[in-house]
């Protein structure tokens, strides 16, 4: 009967493979033709049943003008990157708790029940014997001596927890910088849009003045055409700036984990104080970065973890002394014909003190020591690489900031000179002293100066933010700590 059941099961299995639907079979094969994409019913089913994640739960207040700190708070409250890093830190903290638990004994309470009925051979016949045993008690397991191996594992997990915590801080540092970059990019785009609006007004003023002079017979038709062309170009440039502002807004909203089409207000770049000097020299900034950068401190923690792992691997050459014991109350019942039933109770215990020492393991312990030492040397090399990287990043950020400050001063002077040139050219044109080409040239120079002024201010803000990012000062300021 069992053989017939196995045959039926085999036939059913073979038939299930033969009767597979064509769509399912096709989904398990590669595309038959390399020149065309593959569309199968299985793919359509996945596409139609896939649930698109819902939009973020928070909305912007349309009446609030958001500052940079406010947007950073929003990003930190909703960022999946920081939450992932936070969960990693919690996971590592739990691993440290597991390592610490090895320092304590393991106590268990147990209840054991056992019953049997067996035949006992007595001379030339079997005699049935029934036995029932029950025991309740406690057991205790504890490593008395391991020459510090457990402490080394605790130190290793503690250092790994520190490294994970530094990685958590570094996730915040990168998030804050991403919000800062997006914020300044949006402010710059909005400033460029306002500059383009001012340029359009200037171009329209020139066009109106040219049309008025033409109506009075003081300008030619080509002059009018030139002025109108310049106004049309300014109007075209304004549309580009409006698009740039919309894209910058969507980029910042995405960094904030909001929908890219979200509408919100931010400060004007004109409201921000633009730094005029560098707060520190390059050497001080580099030293500060090496003290504050979470990724650098994370590498130091990894070195400490590797050292602890190496010490733990060396302890495998020493013996272990362990204790194991239990104590309980035992009850037993027995029955064997033709004898009367038996019942007994009493205390039961056992205690074991074991000294174990691995004499030979095929070189495993030595290989583990070499592995741990290589991990330590790798971490130390990574620290040297990270230090060089940080020093280079801070120096480049410092040089960029100095350049941005000088450009800002030049842009301010350029804007002032261009504005004066345009005003005087337009006024002279009204009096017939200058021609329209001179005015249009002054208007183009003013438009370029306005754009350069906005770009220079944004460059200073971005360069200062880059220094704060490279030195991790923005992270400490966000946490309310001094550098």
């Amino acid at each position: 009967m069992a053989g017939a059941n196995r045959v039926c099961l085999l036939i059913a299995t073979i038939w299930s493979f033969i009767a597979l639907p064509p769509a399912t079979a096709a989904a398990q094969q590669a595309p038959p033709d390399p020149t065309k994409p593959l569309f199968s019913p299985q793919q359509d089913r996945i596409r139609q049943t896939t649930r698109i994640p819902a939009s973020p739960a928070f909305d912007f207040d349309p009446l609030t003008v958001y500052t940079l700190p406010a947007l950073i708070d929003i990003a930190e409250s909703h960022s999946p990157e920081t939450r992932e890093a936070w969960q990693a830190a919690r996971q590592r903290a739990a691993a440290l708790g597991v390592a610490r638990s090895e320092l304590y004994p393991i106590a268990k309470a147990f209840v054991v029940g056992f019953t049997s009925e067996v035949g006992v051979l007595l001379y030339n016949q079997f005699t049935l014997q029934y036995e029932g045993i029950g025991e309740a008690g406690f057991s205790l397991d504890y490593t008395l001596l391991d020459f510090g191996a457990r402490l080394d594992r605790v130190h290793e997990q503690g250092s790994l927890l520190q490294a994970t915590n530094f990685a958590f801080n570094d996730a915040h540092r990168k998030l804050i910088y991403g919000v800062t970059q997006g914020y300044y990019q949006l402010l710059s785009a909005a400033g460029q849009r306002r500059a383009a609006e001012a340029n359009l007004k200037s171009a329209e003023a020139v066009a109106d003045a040219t049309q008025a002079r033409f109506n009075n017979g003081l300008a030619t038709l080509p002059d009018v055409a030139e002025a109108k062309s310049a106004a049309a170009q300014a109007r075209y440039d304004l549309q580009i700036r409006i698009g740039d502002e919309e894209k910058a807004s969507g980029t910042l909203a995405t960094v904030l984990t909001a929908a890219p089409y979200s509408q919100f207000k931010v400060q004007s770049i004109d409201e921000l104080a633009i730094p005029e000097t560098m707060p520190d020299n390059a050497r001080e900034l580099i030293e500060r970065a090496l003290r504050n950068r979470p990724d650098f401190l994370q590498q130091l923690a990894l070195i400490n973890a590797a050292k602890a792992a190496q010490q733990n691997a060396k302890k495998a050459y020493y013996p272990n002394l362990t204790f194991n014991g239990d104590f309980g109350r035992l009850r037993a019942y027995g029955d064997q014909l033709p004898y009367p039933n038996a019942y007994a109770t009493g205390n039961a215990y056992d205690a074991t003190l074991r000294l174990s020492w691995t004499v030979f393991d095929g070189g495993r312990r030595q290989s583990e020591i070499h592995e741990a030492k290589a991990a330590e040397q790798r971490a130390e090399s990574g620290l040297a690489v990270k230090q060089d990287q940080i020093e280079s990043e801070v120096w480049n950020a410092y040089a960029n900031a100095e350049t941005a400050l000088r450009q800002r001063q030049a842009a301010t002077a350029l804007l002032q000179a261009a504005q004066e040139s345009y005003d005087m050219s337009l006024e002279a044109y009204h009096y017939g002293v200058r021609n329209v080409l001179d005015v249009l040239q002054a208007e183009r120079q003013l438009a370029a100066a306005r754009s350069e002024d906005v770009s220079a201010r944004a460059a200073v803000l971005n360069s200062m933010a880059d220094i704060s990012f490279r030195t991790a000062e923005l992270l400490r300021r966000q946490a309310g700590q001094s550098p």
Side-chain angles (χ1 to χ4, degrees):
M1 187 66 180
N5 290 336
R6 285 195 293 270
V7 172
C8 292
L9 179 61
L10 178 61
I11 293 174
T13 303
I14 295 174
W15 177 253
S16 65
F17 280 101
I18 295 176
L20 278 174
T24 304
Q28 303 299 325
Q29 298 177 357
D33 188 350
T35 63
K36 294 181 293 185
L38 173 66
F39 296 99
S40 66
Q42 184 72 10
Q43 288 176 319
D44 290 338
R45 190 177 303 112
I46 294 175
R47 178 175 57 83
Q48 294 171 2
T49 57
T50 299
R51 185 179 65 87
I52 299 177
S55 300
F58 76 94
D59 294 317
F60 292 100
D61 184 358
L63 301 179
T64 300
V65 177
Y66 288 93
T67 61
L68 179 58
L71 293 180
I72 290 176
D73 287 339
I74 292 176
E76 289 183 314
S77 300
H78 298 86
S79 171
E81 288 84 0
T82 56
R83 291 185 178 274
E84 179 185 7
W86 178 56
Q87 293 296 345
R90 297 182 65 190
Q91 180 181 2
R92 184 57 65 185
L96 175 60
V98 172
R100 285 175 174 169
S101 68
E102 297 180 6
L103 299 174
Y104 300 91
I106 298 177
K108 299 179 182 179
F110 64 88
V111 177
V112 179
F114 172 78
T115 181
S116 67
E117 186 173 10
V118 296
V120 180
L121 181 62
L122 297 176
Y123 301 104
N124 60 352
Q125 65 179 0
F126 282 98
T127 300
L128 292 178
Q129 184 182 75
Y130 170 79
E131 184 180 16
I133 299 175
E135 182 180 4
F138 294 91
S139 66
L140 183 68
D141 296 314
Y142 187 53
T143 299
L144 298 176
L145 180 64
D146 61 357
F147 293 91
R150 290 169 296 171
L151 286 176
D152 290 333
R153 289 192 290 271
V154 171
H155 294 158
E156 178 186 5
Q157 292 299 328
S159 297
L160 291 176
L161 175 59
Q162 290 179 351
T164 310
N165 289 340
F166 287 131
F168 170 73
N169 290 344
D170 202 47
H172 276 272
R173 181 178 72 100
K174 294 176 180 177
L175 175 65
I176 294 171
Y177 183 56
V179 175
T180 303
Q181 277 189 314
Y183 186 77
Y184 289 152
Q185 181 181 2
L186 177 56
L187 264 59
S188 176
Q192 294 287 1
R193 187 257 305 160
R194 286 190 294 272
E197 291 174 347
N199 296 336
L200 177 58
K201 290 181 180 179
S202 299
E204 289 176 342
V206 174
D208 292 341
T210 305
Q211 184 66 47
R213 289 180 59 80
F214 176 77
N215 294 338
N216 294 327
L218 300 176
T220 64
L221 190 60
D223 292 341
V224 175
E226 286 281 353
K228 289 184 177 181
S229 175
Q233 181 65 46
R235 195 173 295 108
Y236 174 81
D237 293 340
L238 174 60
Q239 300 307 314
I240 296 178
R241 298 304 185 183
I242 291 175
D244 291 341
E245 183 180 7
E246 291 176 347
K247 289 187 290 185
S249 177
T251 300
L252 178 56
T254 303
V255 174
L256 299 172
T257 69
Y261 47 79
S262 301
Q263 299 296 323
F264 56 97
K265 299 178 183 179
V266 296
Q267 293 176 293
S268 168
I269 195 172
D270 298 328
E271 300 175 8
L272 301 183
I274 307 300
E276 298 182 356
T277 58
M278 294 293 297
D280 298 297
N281 58 44
R283 182 186 297 273
E284 292 174 344
L285 292 175
I286 290 174
E287 293 176 354
R288 190 174 302 170
L290 295 178
R291 290 196 304 267
N292 296 338
R293 280 280 289 262
D295 50 347
F296 186 77
L297 300 177
Q298 177 187 6
Q299 200 65 32
L300 289 173
L302 291 177
I303 292 177
N304 293 334
K307 290 180 178 179
Q310 185 178 354
Q311 293 298 320
N312 179 47
K314 292 179 179 179
K315 300 298 172 56
Y317 279 98
Y318 297 92
N320 283 345
L321 181 63
T322 60
F323 169 81
N324 173 263
D326 58 67
F327 175 83
R329 185 70 175 175
L330 183 67
R331 297 177 183 271
Y333 173 83
D335 182 15
Q336 177 180 333
L337 295 177
Y339 303 102
N341 297 340
Y343 173 79
T345 181
N347 296 329
Y349 73 91
D350 66 76
T352 303
L353 193 63
R354 173 175 295 179
L355 180 67
S356 60
W357 199 340
T358 301
V359 179
F360 178 75
D361 60 359
R364 175 175 179 174
R365 290 170 294 180
Q366 187 65 28
S367 297
E368 289 176 345
I369 292 176
H370 291 163
E371 180 184 8
K373 187 170 184 60
E376 179 186 356
Q377 293 174 346
R378 177 184 177 184
E380 290 176 347
S381 299
L383 180 67
V385 172
K386 179 63 66 175
Q387 181 174 351
D388 292 341
Q389 175 188 343
I390 291 175
E391 291 177 352
S392 176
E393 289 178 357
V394 174
W395 170 251
N396 289 333
Y398 180 83
N400 291 336
E402 283 195 324
T403 302
L405 288 172
R406 292 192 297 266
Q407 288 177 331
R408 164 63 177 155
Q409 295 174 354
T412 301
L414 176 63
L415 177 59
Q416 182 178 357
Q419 184 68 55
E420 293 176 355
S421 175
Y422 170 77
D423 292 339
M424 288 187 293
S425 296
L426 184 59
E427 183 178 2
Y429 179 66
H430 281 295
Y431 291 108
V433 179
R434 305 290 293 271
N435 59 47
V436 69
L437 296 179
D438 295 333
V439 179
L440 292 176
Q441 178 64 23
E443 188 274 328
R444 284 191 290 268
Q445 291 176 350
L446 177 59
R450 284 171 177 156
S451 178
E452 291 297 335
D453 180 68
V454 173
S455 298
R457 282 186 287 171
V460 171
L461 293 174
N462 279 316
S463 62
M464 292 300 177
D466 191 36
I467 288 179
S468 296
F469 171 66
R470 304 302 174 184
T471 59
E473 290 182 13
L474 52 78
L475 180 64
R476 302 185 71 86
R477 284 201 298 265
Q478 183 68 13
Q481 296 186 2
S482 58

